[in-house]
Amino acid sequence: MRNQNLSELIASAQQGDTGATGQLYEMNYTSIYRYLYYRTGQVQVAEDLTAEVFLKMVQALPAYRQTNCSFRTWLFQIARNLAIDYYRRTSTHGTVPLYDEDTVGQEGVDETVDVHITRQTLQDSLSRLGDIQRDVIVLRFVEGLSLQEVAEVLHRSEDAIKGLQRRGLLLMRQTLLQMEDGNDLFG
Amino acid sequence: MTYLDNLLEECLNELDRGIPLEKIVQHVPSEAAEILPLLRLAAVTRELPHPSMASTKARAQRGRIMKFARSNAQPERRFSWRFAMAQLSMVAALVVVALLTIGFTGPRGSRYATLSDVQGIVEVFDGQDWRMAANGERVHAGEKVRTRIDSQAALLFYEGSHSQLGGDTEVTLEKARGGWNRSLDVDVYQAKGLSTHTVAPLQGKNSHFVVGTGLGQAAVRGTIFDVEVIHGTSRFSVHRGTVEVTYGQERTLLTAGQVIVVEEGGAATQPAYAFDVQGPIEAMVGDQWTVGNLSFFVDPALVAGGNWNLDDWVRVRGRILADGSLVADWIQLVSGDKVMAHFSGLVESIGAESWVVGGKTVMIDSNTEIEAGLAIGDPVEVGFVVVESGDWLALEIVSIKEKSVESIPGTVTGTNTRTPQATFTSTTVPSQTQSPVPPTGTQPPGAQLTPTAVPVAGCAVGEDQPEIITLAERYGVTPAEILYWFCQGYGFGEIDLAYELAQGAGVPVSTVFEMVESGMGWGLIKQTLQPATATPEPTSTLKPTDEPKPTKEPEPTDEPKPTKEPKPTDEPKPTKDK
């Protein structure tokens, strides 16, 4: 596989180089899958939507202009649109399953805040957030996007993202502490 | 956005640079208790092992994507004389058939529109499925085109007319025909979004260019106009020429610069002149917003469900009503860094330092670019900024007079009986002082709090905290109430300020916190909650008077100066008491 930089890779894929398309998939599928997983809470749905994102990418690549926004934020925009479409189709908005076979185990502990976070508790606390707050937290702290990139994906100003970010973290922390105290509203 | 929002972001950046948490919070000792747990949570979230797709599934998916890409790519063929000759024969036969056919059906290019300027995510529905569209693709009668947010595309017609589709727009090309005399017969149905149509002067009596929306339709012969379908209304506005708008049994002829909004049920606003402003949201107080120093009325239904924040960059299109007030019809988030504002109207007077256009006085200076040959009565578009004094300073004034638009066969021509007369009088310039009417201004502070004033779990501070007791005593509320706000993430300094402002203005403290949540800075909240100055009540109706009286040419000097608005003070940083 040729080692091309991203711009060259995109240009090659735009000209029909399927190897370059495959490389673009390799470079981005994990991030897109993770985002869609936390957005939908379902492994199968996240996998299907990930495939759809890249099929859309192939279709839309000829029209993609590298000057508009970064390739990664463009892919997240497609993913977000598909997630919204999915919710519209299935009318399951906000009903993130609480337990999933893929979310067991893998514990991270932060003694200093008395919060024991696992992938499951993270997902539970994320499910308490509004869509945009959840997007901000996932894109910023799971995917590592910059503030500017998150603003691009969500079509918001950077200042708005800062506010959503702080309030989202606050709400997550409260939820996690509630769960620690046995006051888990998930029952 | 608050001080804490900014501080958290700065600390997160330091965390990204590898600075240890303890060192970061040393720089902000008074906020450490609030910031540190959030920083830790962010750090733990980052370090947590996150799910990933099984590698076998990823490999299979990759193969599927590449196969799809291959089938999408143009196939390469080796040159073959035999194949070329066979193709040539077929082409010759087809040309003969085509020549015979097009003699009756007009130019081939007239039976479809060509997609161009495709940016972002644009899809075509061909009767079975939505598929991604590309530049050069043909859209035939019966096919739909939709753009996603932040995307755009144009439909080009064979004789030069074109329709530009904005983001989140969907149209159906219902009819596309043409003739050898360069005639064009186009019907477009717009289900949602914004489209701008630039129609070359149509040739022949059978030419039509019609855009329908379900609530109304616009028919033209050579003009530039917009159609917007949003929140159950259809908005038709004209940049150049004239447009005949039909809705229900009514017909109205709009001229350049005018706009009409048709609502569900068939009611329509009076035609009015349009304004268009782009900039950051500077204030959102009740139904009055300010963008680019321009204040306007916003129907709550227009922005319902959106997460609008101060400093968000938006573009606003609206109408200037007969009483001079401004009302927004359409607001959309945009990415931009330059404040721009435009409005249109007829030139009513021309002075050395100011002009009156559509009843609005605009100042001019040596930098104002004015198109040559403009005269009183000409329709113009004015690009302007609102200066510190509240005056509108024109940056440019250009003609939007129609150059050569023929009358529309079978449609209304001549006098437009519904053309609005711009009659801006003593309160022409809207100012921020019109708006600060808090939602529940007569209720005592704290009146609405008790039902929800329950400390949330995870907020590890007791009601006996000295700051809580001090604030509770100072404002005559229960410690539980102060604790409630503290546990919502507000610092004691912010809570103190919020109660002080609420009691000063006679509004519930929850109103102040709602303003904070909406993204307003403390400076703006303070300014907003100060007693309103003696400005007229905002008009209760969106529609101008039915029979506006003809406007006399006012002398620019007669125009009362707009209310001056004190500049908002810098947003104070909330005091951290902890």
Side-chain angles (χ1 to χ4, degrees), chain A residues 136-147:
Chain A
V136 169
I137 300 295
V138 173
L139 292 171
R140 194 88 168 91
F141 304 119
V142 176
E143 295 310 327
L145 264 62
S146 69
L147 195 74

Side-chain angles (χ1 to χ4, degrees), chain B residues 454-478:
Chain B
V454 178
V456 292
C459 181
V461 177
E463 289 178 15
D464 54 354
Q465 185 90 358
E467 290 91 343
I468 290 180
I469 293 170
T470 305
L471 289 176
E473 286 173 354
R474 183 177 299 165
Y475 296 107
V477 297
T478 63

Side-chain angles (χ1 to χ4, degrees), chain A residues 1 25-26 34 38 47 56 59-60 85 112 119 140-141 155 157 159 162 165-167 174, chain B residues 1 5-6 9 37 40 46 49-51 57 61-62 119 123 132 148 150 312 333 487 489 517:
Chain A
M1 198 174 283
Y25 174 85
E26 283 291 337
R34 269 197 309 244
Y38 283 121
E47 283 175 2
K56 291 270 184 197
Q59 289 182 315
D85 280 352
T112 50
R119 211 187 289 163
R140 194 88 168 91
F141 304 119
H155 312 290
S157 69
D159 284 343
K162 284 181 195 171
Q165 173 176 268
R166 188 174 73 90
R167 289 192 291 276
Q174 285 170 8
Chain B
M1 187 190 53
D5 297 336
N6 269 332
E9 177 56 25
R40 285 195 172 122
R46 279 178 176 167
H50 294 290
K57 286 187 178 172
Q61 205 170 82
R62 183 177 185 272
Q119 289 183 37
E123 296 159 295
M132 299 298 280
R148 298 293 193 134
D150 270 3
D312 279 351
L333 287 165
C487 291
E517 280 299 303

Side-chain angles (χ1 to χ4, degrees), chain A residues 1 16 18-19 21-23 25-26 29-30 33-34 37-38 43-44 46-48 50-51 54-60 62-63 65 68 74 77-78 80-82 85 88 102 106-110 112-113 115 117-119 122 132 137 140-142 144 147 152 154-157 159-160 162-167 169-170 172-174 176-178 181 183, chain B residues 1-2 4-6 8-9 12-13 16 34-55 57-59 61-62 64-73 117-121 123 130-135 146 148-150 192 306-313 333 456-459 487-490 494 516-517:
Chain A
M1 198 174 283
T18 52
T21 306
Q23 269 188 282
Y25 174 85
E26 283 291 337
Y29 84 89
T30 304
Y33 171 79
R34 269 197 309 244
Y37 173 80
Y38 283 121
V43 172
Q44 190 57 52
E47 283 175 2
D48 292 347
T50 302
F54 287 96
L55 292 174
K56 291 270 184 197
M57 176 198 82
V58 170
Q59 289 182 315
R65 294 181 189 178
N68 289 351
W74 183 65
Q77 284 173 355
I78 297 177
R80 184 164 175 263
N81 281 331
L82 285 172
D85 280 352
R88 277 190 195 136
D102 195 45
Q106 311 271 24
E107 189 169 295
V109 180
D110 186 345
T112 50
V113 278
V115 173
I117 303 180
T118 64
R119 211 187 289 163
L122 172 65
I132 296 233
I137 300 295
R140 194 88 168 91
F141 304 119
V142 176
L147 195 74
E152 268 177 25
L154 301 179
H155 312 290
R156 294 284 189 278
S157 69
D159 284 343
K162 284 181 195 171
L164 289 162
Q165 173 176 268
R166 188 174 73 90
R167 289 192 291 276
L169 283 172
L170 267 174
M172 271 179 75
R173 183 167 179 272
Q174 285 170 8
L176 289 164
L177 288 168
Q178 278 177 336
D181 291 347
N183 291 332
Chain B
M1 187 190 53
T2 67
L4 282 175
D5 297 336
N6 269 332
L8 175 65
E9 177 56 25
L12 283 167
N13 287 335
D16 283 343
E34 288 166 82
I35 293 292
L36 189 58
L38 303 186
L39 284 176
R40 285 195 172 122
L41 180 56
V44 171
T45 304
R46 279 178 176 167
E47 286 159 16
L48 200 67
H50 294 290
S52 57
M53 200 190 300
S55 58
K57 286 187 178 172
R59 265 199 305 278
Q61 205 170 82
R62 183 177 185 272
R64 193 177 145 208
I65 305 297
M66 289 176 70
K67 191 176 171 190
F68 181 71
R70 222 176 342 263
S71 68
N72 241 35
D117 193 23
V118 171
Q119 289 183 37
I121 301 170
E123 296 159 295
W130 287 101
R131 56 186 164 72
M132 299 298 280
N135 278 323
R146 77 176 176 193
R148 298 293 193 134
I149 295 168
D150 270 3
K192 65 172 181 172
N307 184 16
W308 305 91
N309 296 288
L310 286 186
D311 295 332
D312 279 351
W313 274 77
L333 287 165
V456 292
C459 181
C487 291
Q488 297 303 304
Y490 297 105
E494 289 174 299
V516 176
E517 280 299 303

Side-chain angles (χ1 to χ4, degrees), chain B residues 283-354:
Chain B
M284 291 186 289
V285 184
D287 53 17
Q288 286 286 327
W289 288 28
T290 304
V291 171
N293 278 341
L294 207 61
S295 291
F296 46 85
F297 170 82
V298 178
D299 186 333
L302 189 66
V303 290
N307 184 16
W308 305 91
N309 296 288
L310 286 186
D311 295 332
D312 279 351
W313 274 77
V314 293
R315 183 170 179 191
V316 183
R317 295 177 186 220
R319 284 165 289 137
I320 304 173
L321 303 186
D323 64 358
S325 60
L326 277 60
V327 58
D329 295 322
W330 178 95
I331 304 177
Q332 192 173 54
L333 287 165
V334 293
S335 50
D337 53 9
K338 192 179 170 191
V339 175
M340 290 185 287
H342 294 88
F343 79 102
S344 48
L346 299 179
V347 177
E348 294 174 5
S349 78
I350 296 176
E353 292 182 347
S354 64

